[in-house]
Amino acid sequence: MTSLQYAVNSTIDKPESTKESLESIKQKLQHHSFYFMPAANFREYLLHKNAHALDDKSSFIQSWHDLHLDSFMGDNGKYRTRRYSTLSYDEQVGNWVKEADQPHYQGRDYNALNGGIPRYFSPVAESILYGNTMSNIIKFGCDLFSAIEKNKKWHIEVHQFRISAKSTEAGKPTPEGVHRDGVDYVLMIMVKRKNIKNGQTTIYDLNKHPLTTFTLSDTFDVAIVNDHNVYHGVSNIEPLDHNDVAYRDIFVVTYRKK
């Protein structure tokens, strides 16, 4: 594992927007095994690659209102809605393709709460999946992780999550606790926070000692992790105003070498 130079229990201050290249992002991720990329930097990167990369961002964000209840929660919680699709990427082809709809599976070693069984979820709507915003975010991960690894083929899993919080039930972004996902790399992109407090992301070393804490707060804030080298978890969310709806919308994309 590469050295991790963030101070234990430190909070990452969001830097001012600076233009980032794929190489600079790659180096930061390789050096620390995780990287927080502020929304301004990520938007700037995507638009530099493709001037139309975010043309449908409003539809992308609004699509989180059309998720379905996760009925596989081991804690019987009703706070999570989601959609899920799987993709394949081959660098020689140059883009990702959607695979046939299939269940999501994690071993209990990675998800003691919900793992060990196939879980079936509604697929991501194709108009959103193939839209500019989601498509270019997925391609960003393909480009970045292919630049790091000699392996150029990826199995990709795409997750839309909404975690809701009520006065009677806290929202749990990571109900399985501090964990790894059982893949190679993970992108976690903030879509929207509404009327919530908490929801801090903490990164841990392989002994589960905390390395840093930050909050994905702005639309398109991104956390990138090497799933082999670090654990991660997110604190429970609660409503600020108990008379209003409260939720945390997040887009998670995982990449596993084929």
Side-chain angles (χ1 to χ4, degrees):
M1 181 176 174
T2 55
S3 62
L4 296 163
Q5 295 185 350
Y6 289 102
V8 173
N9 290 323
S10 68
T11 298
I12 296 177
D13 292 326
K14 295 181 182 181
E16 296 296 323
S17 176
T18 56
K19 195 166 187 178
E20 297 202 58
S21 67
L22 192 72
E23 182 62 24
S24 69
I25 300 166
K26 169 188 164 183
Q27 289 178 2
K28 292 167 186 173
L29 179 60
Q30 287 181 303
H31 189 67
H32 300 293
S33 291
F34 65 91
Y35 180 48
F36 169 83
M37 189 171 183
N41 295 36
F42 191 50
R43 288 194 300 265
E44 185 178 44
Y45 177 89
L46 293 176
L47 292 170
H48 178 72
K49 294 283 290 186
N50 179 351
H52 299 285
L54 302 177
D55 279 0
D56 68 335
K57 67 179 180 181
S58 294
S59 297
F60 170 80
I61 294 167
Q62 288 297 312
S63 70
W64 264 256
H65 292 302
D66 188 30
L67 309 185
H68 298 160
L69 183 68
D70 185 340
S71 60
F72 292 91
M73 297 299 295
D75 62 359
N76 296 314
K78 306 298 182 185
Y79 51 82
R80 181 157 79 180
T81 56
R82 67 190 296 173
R83 285 181 179 268
Y84 166 80
S85 290
T86 60
L87 319 172
S88 292
Y89 174 78
D90 185 335
E91 191 181 56
Q92 291 186 341
V93 175
N95 209 340
W96 55 265
V97 296
K98 185 179 184 294
E99 296 181 348
D101 294 338
Q102 56 194 270
H104 178 47
Y105 182 86
Q106 289 174 295
R108 291 187 64 82
D109 288 347
Y110 288 101
N111 191 332
L113 178 66
N114 299 321
I117 59 170
R119 292 179 283 160
Y120 294 84
F121 304 112
S122 301
V124 177
E126 291 198 356
S127 61
I128 301 302
L129 182 66
Y130 290 106
N132 280 5
T133 302
M134 188 173 287
S135 180
N136 279 284
I137 290 172
I138 295 166
K139 186 60 163 56
F140 163 76
C142 295
D143 292 343
L144 175 60
F145 305 134
S146 292
I148 294 172
E149 304 283 351
K150 293 181 179 179
N151 184 294
K152 305 299 183 184
K153 296 181 180 180
W154 299 95
H155 173 75
I156 303 167
E157 297 180 60
V158 174
H159 307 258
Q160 290 180 285
F161 291 110
R162 168 168 286 180
I163 305 299
S164 297
K166 301 177 181 178
S167 58
T168 56
E169 182 182 39
K172 302 176 184 177
T174 53
E176 64 273 47
V178 177
H179 68 286
R180 291 184 294 158
D181 287 343
V183 295
D184 291 301
Y185 297 96
V186 184
L187 295 179
M188 294 168 275
I189 300 98
M190 174 52 60
V191 176
K192 187 174 182 179
R193 290 169 59 100
K194 178 177 173 61
N195 186 37
I196 61 169
K197 58 183 176 181
N198 302 324
Q200 290 88 13
T201 298
T202 301
I203 305 295
Y204 303 81
D205 66 18
L206 292 179
N207 294 313
K208 297 189 179 179
H209 297 142
L211 297 167
T212 194
T213 297
F214 52 87
T215 301
L216 299 176
S217 56
D218 299 330
T219 299
F220 299 126
D221 277 350
V222 183
I224 312 171
V225 300
N226 180 326
D227 197 55
H228 293 284
N229 291 349
V230 294
Y231 286 81
H232 63 277
V234 182
S235 64
N236 293 350
I237 61 171
E238 299 176 19
L240 289 168
D241 179 354
H242 291 279
N243 296 313
D244 195 5
V245 295
Y247 55 80
R248 180 181 188 265
D249 290 350
I250 197 82
F251 181 41
V252 176
V253 192
T254 67
Y255 297 77
R256 177 166 50 82
K257 287 179 282 189
K258 297 182 73 172

